[in-house]
Amino acid sequence: KPAAESDYLYELDKTTQEIVNAVIDWQKDHTGELGGQVVFGDKIVELPASPVTLPQLQRIRRQFISMNRQHNLAKPRIYGSFIEYLNTSLD
């Protein structure tokens, strides 16, 4: 694998995992609340009224990674794209 490709896959993996972890942490800190928003700069993950499970988030993350393996998105674009994908998937 070229270095740029492995760096990109690392960033894709790391960035999406950070977002998943932040969503899980937010839910732990807001137990019992229906829905909510997790803010990442100017991007927001809109959580549904029912809690989102870690397996659900991991499945969505795996789907996003497999769809974007071949693209070379810049890190800020990975954040934005994954958050949009999450919001669509959680609707």
Side-chain angles (χ1 to χ4, degrees):
K1 284 183 194 176
E5 182 183 342
S6 62
D7 288 349
Y8 170 68
L9 293 176
Y10 171 78
E11 284 300 327
L12 186 63
D13 184 66
K14 182 175 160 257
T15 303
T16 54
Q17 189 61 55
E18 285 173 9
I19 294 170
V20 165
N21 290 343
V23 169
I24 292 298
D25 289 344
W26 188 94
Q27 287 187 137
K28 284 179 189 168
D29 294 341
H30 297 87
T31 306
E33 290 185 26
L34 303 177
Q37 296 181 329
V38 185
V39 179
F40 295 91
D42 63 340
K43 302 287 183 197
I44 297 173
V45 175
E46 297 280 349
L47 297 176
S50 57
V52 182
T53 65
L54 181 58
Q56 255 182 303
L57 290 170
Q58 288 173 328
R59 180 178 45 77
I60 293 168
R61 179 175 168 263
R62 278 192 306 272
Q63 288 170 341
F64 180 81
I65 288 173
S66 69
M67 287 179 358
N68 288 282
R69 293 189 101 74
Q70 304 305 318
H71 306 291
N72 239 336
L73 303 172
K75 185 172 180 171
R77 287 274 324 211
I78 295 171
Y79 262 99
S81 296
F82 184 56
I83 289 170
E84 285 175 31
Y85 187 74
L86 252 182
N87 285 333
T88 302
S89 300
L90 295 174
D91 263 350

